[in-house]
Amino acid sequence: MVDRRDGDEVDLLDASLRTGSGALLSTTLFVLTGVVYAFVTDPAATGRYFFAAIAIALLLRPVRGVSQALQKVGSERGEAVPAYFGLTLLFAVGYLSVVGVATLVGADLVTRTTAFDRALLFPAAVLAVSTTVSVVTDSLFGAVGYPSYQTWLNAAQATLRFGLLFALNPLVSTAGDVMLVVAGTRGVTLLPVLFWLGERPQLPGRHELERTWSFARWSVPDQILDRFAFNMPTLVLGVVASPVAVGVYEAADRFADLGATISWRLSSPLLTRVSGDAAAGDETFAYLDAATTGGTGATFVVLGYLLGAHESVAQLAFPSVQGVFSTTVLAVGGVNLLRGFWTLLSHALEGAGRPDFSFRTKLYGLVCSTPVTAVFGGQYGAVAGAAGYALLNVVVFGLVAYYARETFGRVPWDRPLVFRLTAGLAVAWGVTTGSTAALGAVGAAPTVVAVGGATACLVGFVAFLVVVSSRTRQAARRAYRLGRSRLGVARG
């Protein structure tokens, strides 16, 4: 059993470093598994899997909303985590039962009007249960004061899933097969972790019900909009376009979203720390500017890589539609500079007790962007999805900045750091372009070109920031000490 700690006791730098390293591994594997899905099945089956998995995640967002209350309120000093844990489990079981019955009743309608296949009902049910367990476990880690552990758990799942997909390649041929592999890896990793955490659920009292309701009444609809906003193009394309268009967009999105996903992961320790400080009465949040800006760093390096190597990536992922893939991946990667920032800042607003602001921004963003993908998706496919995604993020970015000024008295971004990250983007672009051109000139395979470009891009970006930024050097030294400490424990 881990030693529980409150949110205001979390060291944000250490938690962010641990989260970032785990997120880099888990997100990289997440991106690669998207390509592996297409490799072991085909683009149409990949599109059906993505559509079904994303639809399931959207349906389960109310569970995420209640579990977000578990993390936010449970991390506050003096709150009883087991009672909030028990309340979350009760809600999850009841909600899954209702959704299961509704799905069976409406199965024919869904299969006639979307990319969903009736043969996927059982695998989808198994995947839904495993997704619920994953959501609750992630929030429980944050509630007991260890939000950085979430990413390493996801990395373990992704590693196991990656190996199984290759090992079972001859047996995996449909979207349902992929669902069962994903659910199986979650079960193997999550159940032992829940036992190790040692938190035994208890029946909630009136206090826990009231605190959860005060947060979840906004958090639940916000989580629904958050998932729909993130996956709006995939969901809309699954209705108005072909499964191939869904597969192309989602695979491109996974590549381009690597940096934004790391920012999203870093928002968990930020929410926990802001929540703990706000509950303890410390509302200076002196770390907020650096945290919201520095947390977007990965989006800059990913865009630099895509600008220099998008053709190599397209040749690997979808060689039959390279132009469409390249256009989509560049559009998504570019606008993710904004997404990384607003994701971090939106979670800081939630930690400060304003989930209603997060809800409103995504609602307005969806109203403006969804018609673009819906109207043009049938003709332009994945490119229309990217256009809708870009408009969504521009609108949400502006609104989150507006609400942040109202809540914190300023827009928390570090201007000198933004300039350094922009210069680092230019360096990453140049290094990637040069390395991919050199590897291509000597006849290297597309895989070698793509991997070599990624390595050169990351080294160039990090080296540049270490030279020009004292805070980057400070973070690098702290990361080195944490790494040495962890290795020392492992050897001991």
Side-chain angles (χ1 to χ4, degrees):
M1 179 177 177
V2 299
D3 295 326
R4 191 185 305 157
R5 59 186 180 184
D6 297 311
D8 57 311
E9 297 173 328
V10 173
D11 186 304
L12 187 58
L13 177 59
D14 287 1
S16 297
L17 289 171
R18 293 190 181 100
T19 299
S21 56
L24 180 61
L25 175 58
S26 64
T27 307
T28 301
L29 292 174
F30 176 77
V31 170
L32 292 177
T33 51
V35 177
V36 172
Y37 295 157
F39 171 75
V40 300
T41 57
D42 57 64
T46 302
R48 287 191 179 90
Y49 167 76
F50 283 143
F51 179 79
I54 289 169
I56 288 169
L58 176 61
L59 284 172
L60 295 178
R61 292 316 271 186
V63 177
R64 169 71 75 176
V66 174
S67 70
Q68 193 85 332
L70 162 66
Q71 175 170 345
K72 191 277 190 257
V73 184
S75 63
E76 296 178 4
R77 189 173 295 276
E79 294 291 348
V81 172
Y84 292 103
F85 183 27
L87 176 58
T88 304
L89 289 179
L90 288 172
F91 178 83
V93 171
Y95 182 77
L96 275 176
S97 301
V98 173
V99 169
V101 172
T103 302
L104 289 175
V105 172
D108 289 338
L109 176 63
V110 173
T111 54
R112 284 198 310 268
T113 57
T114 71
F116 191 78
D117 190 327
R118 192 177 182 87
L120 299 178
L121 281 176
F122 174 74
V126 176
L127 184 65
V129 172
S130 72
T131 302
T132 300
V133 176
S134 178
V135 165
V136 175
T137 305
D138 274 1
S139 294
L140 189 59
F141 268 125
V144 298
Y146 295 88
S148 60
Y149 283 30
Q150 298 168 347
T151 56
W152 285 102
L153 179 59
N154 287 317
Q157 294 176 39
T159 303
L160 180 58
R161 185 181 311 135
F162 193 71
L164 281 177
L165 284 171
F166 274 115
L168 300 176
N169 183 15
L171 303 176
V172 177
S173 59
T174 68
D177 295 336
V178 176
M179 287 182 187
L180 292 176
V181 171
V182 172
T185 56
R186 284 175 175 163
V188 168
T189 54
L190 292 174
L191 295 179
V193 166
L194 281 172
F195 180 80
W196 171 71
L197 279 172
E199 295 292 340
R200 301 293 179 260
Q202 297 176 1
L203 289 175
R206 181 174 180 177
H207 171 74
E208 288 77 25
L209 290 170
E210 290 177 346
R211 287 301 315 276
T212 299
W213 168 247
S214 67
F215 187 83
R217 65 193 177 97
W218 286 107
S219 178
V220 168
D222 174 61
Q223 288 299 317
I224 294 172
L225 283 186
D226 180 73
R227 176 53 59 177
F228 189 79
F230 186 70
N231 294 125
M232 179 273 292
T234 302
L235 293 166
V236 174
L237 290 175
V239 177
V240 304
S242 67
V244 173
V246 176
V248 171
Y249 175 83
E250 185 63 21
D253 181 66
R254 286 186 175 221
F255 266 100
D257 258 352
L258 190 148
T261 303
I262 291 176
S263 297
W264 172 63
R265 291 294 183 187
L266 289 171
S267 67
S268 182
L270 181 61
L271 183 151
T272 300
R273 180 57 193 263
V274 170
S275 175
D277 284 351
D282 181 4
E283 297 185 351
T284 57
F285 307 127
Y287 47 80
L288 198 54
D289 298 58
T292 53
T293 306
T296 67
T299 63
F300 284 80
V301 68
V302 168
L303 179 58
Y305 173 71
L306 291 174
L307 288 170
H310 62 90
E311 292 181 354
S312 299
V313 174
Q315 189 175 354
L316 281 174
F318 287 97
S320 60
V321 284
Q322 290 187 39
V324 173
F325 184 90
S326 288
T327 302
T328 304
V329 83
L330 286 173
V332 175
V335 80
N336 273 341
L337 298 183
L338 301 182
R339 182 176 185 91
F341 180 81
W342 75 249
T343 296
L344 287 155
L345 191 49
S346 179
H347 280 73
L349 289 170
E350 289 188 36
R354 297 311 305 258
D356 53 318
F357 287 164
S358 183
F359 168 77
R360 292 170 185 169
T361 59
K362 291 159 193 167
L363 176 62
Y364 300 149
L366 284 169
V367 168
C368 295
S369 63
T370 303
V372 172
T373 302
V375 172
F376 298 104
Q379 182 177 359
Y380 297 103
V383 175
Y389 179 85
L391 179 58
L392 167 73
N393 281 278
V394 170
V395 173
V396 174
F397 171 80
L399 290 171
V400 168
Y402 171 79
Y403 286 126
R405 185 179 296 278
E406 181 177 328
T407 304
F408 302 117
R410 67 189 191 283
V411 179
W413 64 297
D414 188 318
R415 290 170 178 77
L417 184 53
V418 170
F419 295 142
R420 287 192 286 269
L421 289 174
T422 303
L425 165 63
V427 171
W429 182 1
V431 169
T432 302
T433 302
S435 60
T436 54
L439 290 170
V442 299
T447 304
V448 175
V449 174
V451 174
T455 303
C457 174
L458 183 60
V459 171
F461 183 84
V462 172
F464 173 79
L465 286 184
V466 166
V467 170
V468 303
S469 171
S470 61
R471 281 182 290 183
T472 301
R473 293 192 293 272
Q474 176 187 355
R477 286 192 293 268
R478 184 57 184 162
Y480 174 73
R481 288 194 291 268
L482 288 174
R484 284 197 62 181
S485 175
R486 180 164 293 184
L487 285 174
V489 172
R491 288 172 180 169

